[in-house]
Amino acid sequence: MSKLDFDVPAKGGFSFDLCKRNDMLMKKGVQPPSYRKTGTTIVGLIFQDGVILGADTRATEGPIVCDKNCEKIHYMAPNIYCCGAGTAADTEAVTDMVSSQLQLHRYHTGRESRVITALTLLKSHLFNYQGYVQAALVLGGVDVTGPHLHTIYPHGSTDTLPFATMGSGSLAAMAVFESKYHEGLTRDEGIKLVTEAICSGIFNDLGSGSNVDVCVITKGHKEYLRNHLLPNPRSYVSAKGFSFSKKTEVLLTKVTPLKEKVEIIQAGEAMEE
Amino acid sequence: YPYVTGTSVVGVKYKDGILMASDMGASYGSTLRYKSVERMKPIGKHSLLGASGEISDFQEILRYLDELILYDNMWDDGNSLGPKEVHSYLTRVMYNRRNKFNPLWNSLVLGGVKNGKKYLGTVSMIGVHFEDNHVATGFGNHLARPILREEWREDLSYEDGVKLLEKCMRVLLYRDRSAVNKIQIAKITEEGVSISKPYSLRTFWEFNAFRNPTVGAEGSW
């Protein structure tokens, strides 16, 4: 047999060379590293003039909370936002990729992006990877054809719905939606219903917690309400303050609250540049 | 392993006693085979038992309890078993079977009123038991519990309690594949037990967006 050149893995898709090695390692008892999941509650809802998306802010690494205030509502286009549940790296990478593809498409066509464009790009990418890219997304936006809300499952199937929930807390949030949703919601009613659904997920599901993020998208206008509700404040602060070990002598105590030192840049504007 | 299974049971404490709701379906694997199964039964004078899970195991539990109540009546001492006692008997039975690796595949909800004290508790198939103001088994744990946590109040009237249970059963009907639209609501107070006749819930499927989901997004579904 002639010697073959080193086999270049086929373009696109995964190369499964290391799977056999991983299997052997697992049989010997080596645990694979747990990856950061966003055990989550994400919801979306269509109201009178547009779409409201909501998400909790807890990111978990197995049983530990690794980020108490992460951002799960990702920017796709000025008029389209996407919430992501599942593996955090997968949701962020996939939404960033489709967001840049949409930007190029906008330059190419000179028109505002449509939600179904983002939908088709996401679903064909996820289907290509046969569910290995574990990203469950709630995609919402308003374009020339009206408000749209879609859910996208990790294997690539999609649903178009008036209200949708995904993530581990989806059942708790769906219970709230099923009992309280009706057509023709106003903006305030919609925001209230979304926060109730996310709070129901936060308090009744172990994988979701901390704060509520809300994003309201209407024709020509969007509002990203980061930390719209903080139902879990840190209420206990140790009264003694910080104490040094016995040998050091405290010469001067000066407390500078961190808020003044950090300049908070509006998340929406920064991403649009 | 269970084969003929009933879906969730939801119970709440209200002003005068306990209200419990369950649907009347029993699935054989993934087909909805039996649609008139009463999954809630009165036990003695003071308690009401609802079960989800394997129906044959539920019938076995009813036989054990019949024997228990019979022996208690034979003492003829004017004292009868209250809900707390029945609950702890059931806990021991379930836990023992689990220890012998032969569990009774049920999640039970037991409610009752004795001497003015209301009692609502639950036992699972592995023997986990606790008592609370509102309980749910099966899918009800995930769908009904959040609603009950938000909307349960100490002094629910009978009508409000029924409305709350109907809300939970409606959500379960929409989102649980093994639910049927034929429910019974059972009430137990100091006077006694009454299980309502089966009736069905009004459901609303006419959202415009469901009728015409792809109105703006042709090609998706």
Side-chain angles (χ1 to χ4, degrees):
Chain A
M1 276 306 211
S2 59
K3 276 209 204 111
L4 291 162
D5 271 340
F6 176 71
D7 232 349
V8 177
K11 280 222 177 84
F14 289 130
S15 92
F16 292 95
D17 301 333
L18 289 175
C19 286
K20 220 170 159 195
R21 160 197 169 253
N22 288 341
D23 270 337
M24 184 210 61
L25 282 175
M26 286 224 320
K27 283 206 189 74
K28 295 214 169 149
V30 176
Q31 299 286 26
S34 77
Y35 38 160
R36 182 166 151 228
K37 299 198 74 176
T38 52
T40 306
T41 310
I42 47 175
V43 304
L45 141 43
I46 296 196
F47 72 109
Q48 245 169 23
D49 320 313
V51 175
I52 307 183
L53 298 172
D56 73 308
T57 59
R58 175 184 284 184
T60 51
E61 216 167 51
I64 312 175
V65 177
C66 65
D67 191 347
K68 288 184 285 193
N69 208 351
C70 70
E71 280 187 19
K72 297 187 193 180
I73 306 189
H74 309 286
Y75 166 86
M76 291 280 229
N79 56 326
I80 310 177
Y81 272 75
C82 182
C83 309
T87 310
D90 285 337
T91 57
E92 287 191 26
V94 137
T95 46
D96 278 349
M97 186 192 80
V98 172
S99 164
S100 46
Q101 283 182 349
L102 284 177
Q103 176 83 302
L104 287 171
H105 187 78
R106 268 204 298 284
Y107 285 141
H108 207 66
T109 57
R111 292 190 171 87
E112 200 184 52
S113 303
R114 300 197 184 187
V115 180
I116 41 175
T117 323
L119 181 73
T120 319
L121 287 168
L122 284 166
K123 73 166 23 177
S124 35
H125 182 82
L126 290 177
F127 181 69
N128 257 332
Y129 286 86
Q130 289 293 301
Y132 282 104
V133 174
Q134 291 199 340
L137 310 165
V138 170
L139 175 72
V142 180
D143 55 29
V144 282
T145 49
H148 296 283
L149 179 68
H150 303 279
T151 53
I152 309 169
Y153 290 85
H155 285 268
S157 63
T158 59
D159 280 318
T160 312
L161 297 166
F163 55 92
T165 67
M166 294 285 256
S168 56
S170 62
L171 288 155
M174 185 51 86
V176 171
F177 269 167
E178 283 282 9
S179 43
K180 297 195 179 150
Y181 180 78
H182 58 86
E183 308 217 281
L185 285 165
T186 65
R187 181 175 176 278
D188 292 323
E189 283 177 347
I191 295 187
K192 189 160 155 310
L193 188 55
V194 162
T195 36
E196 267 182 39
I198 300 280
C199 282
S200 154
I202 288 178
F203 292 120
N204 294 305
D205 172 49
L206 296 173
S208 319
S210 306
N211 321 116
V212 181
D213 282 348
V214 174
C215 185
V216 184
I217 311 176
T218 52
K219 193 161 183 58
H221 178 65
K222 66 159 193 298
E223 261 180 81
Y224 184 44
L225 303 163
R226 169 85 174 135
N227 285 4
H228 177 67
L229 195 68
L230 288 93
N232 293 308
R234 191 167 167 209
S235 43
Y236 178 73
V237 179
S238 163
K240 279 199 301 189
F242 190 78
S243 58
F244 297 91
S245 68
K246 285 183 282 239
K247 297 275 179 67
T248 47
E249 194 187 311
V250 177
L251 295 173
L252 164 67
T253 308
K254 178 169 168 218
V255 176
T256 318
L258 277 176
K259 263 192 249 183
E260 291 172 21
K261 289 204 150 191
V262 173
E263 205 178 283
I264 302 171
I265 312 171
Q266 273 292 320
E269 288 165 19
M271 290 204 227
E272 277 190 74
E273 287 315 316
Chain B
Y1 277 121
Y3 225 62
V4 182
T5 51
T7 177
S8 21
V9 177
V10 188
V12 289
K13 272 193 199 167
Y14 78 110
K15 201 163 49 135
D16 310 319
I18 312 281
L19 276 173
M20 217 190 280
S22 80
D23 68 8
M24 300 194 67
S27 329
Y28 182 63
S30 56
T31 38
L32 296 174
R33 174 84 166 79
Y34 303 103
K35 296 200 193 157
S36 297
V37 175
E38 274 201 29
R39 289 189 297 114
M40 295 188 290
K41 294 279 181 185
I43 309 288
K45 284 192 299 208
H46 300 279
S47 348
L48 180 62
L49 176 70
S52 73
E54 175 63 59
I55 300 292
S56 60
D57 283 345
F58 177 49
Q59 291 167 342
E60 176 91 0
I61 290 177
L62 288 177
R63 262 187 329 121
Y64 285 155
L65 287 173
D66 269 341
E67 226 185 282
L68 183 74
I69 302 288
L70 190 68
Y71 278 129
D72 184 54
N73 284 338
M74 289 204 301
W75 282 109
D76 203 16
D77 56 1
N79 195 4
S80 50
L81 284 176
K84 205 182 223 185
E85 290 85 45
V86 179
H87 187 208
S88 93
Y89 175 77
L90 285 172
T91 313
R92 289 295 106 219
V93 166
M94 302 297 268
Y95 186 63
N96 256 300
R97 291 289 296 253
R98 164 260 197 197
N99 281 342
K100 297 187 208 150
F101 282 93
N102 184 13
L104 290 161
W105 208 282
N106 288 116
S107 288
L108 308 167
V109 173
L110 185 87
V113 187
K114 185 171 177 199
N115 297 339
K117 292 249 293 283
K118 303 178 277 210
Y119 185 89
L120 179 63
T122 175
V123 191
S124 83
M125 78 177 182
I126 47 177
V128 175
H129 64 284
F130 53 89
E131 134 174 52
D132 201 352
N133 292 323
H134 47 262
V135 294
T137 63
F139 240 88
N141 259 321
H142 299 114
L143 288 171
R145 225 172 237 172
I147 304 181
L148 292 172
R149 277 192 187 154
E150 289 290 315
E151 310 202 358
W152 184 85
R153 290 182 332 265
E154 181 64 49
D155 54 346
L156 279 172
S157 70
Y158 175 64
E159 289 79 27
D160 283 340
V162 170
K163 265 213 294 224
L164 184 59
L165 282 180
E166 282 192 350
K167 198 186 222 192
C168 296
M169 296 307 286
R170 187 168 297 129
V171 176
L172 284 169
L173 178 64
Y174 281 141
R175 293 281 161 176
D176 180 6
R177 82 160 183 185
S178 40
V180 295
N181 195 3
K182 193 171 173 194
I183 66 166
Q184 281 185 308
I185 301 226
K187 149 168 95 96
I188 179 165
T189 59
E190 191 66 51
E191 291 99 47
V193 181
S194 89
I195 304 189
S196 76
K197 283 214 279 288
Y199 65 102
S200 63
L201 290 168
R202 262 196 19 218
T203 55
F204 182 71
W205 299 94
E206 307 306 332
F207 283 132
N208 259 328
F210 284 140
R211 281 234 212 93
N212 228 349
T214 60
V215 73
E218 307 305 329
S220 74
W221 62 89

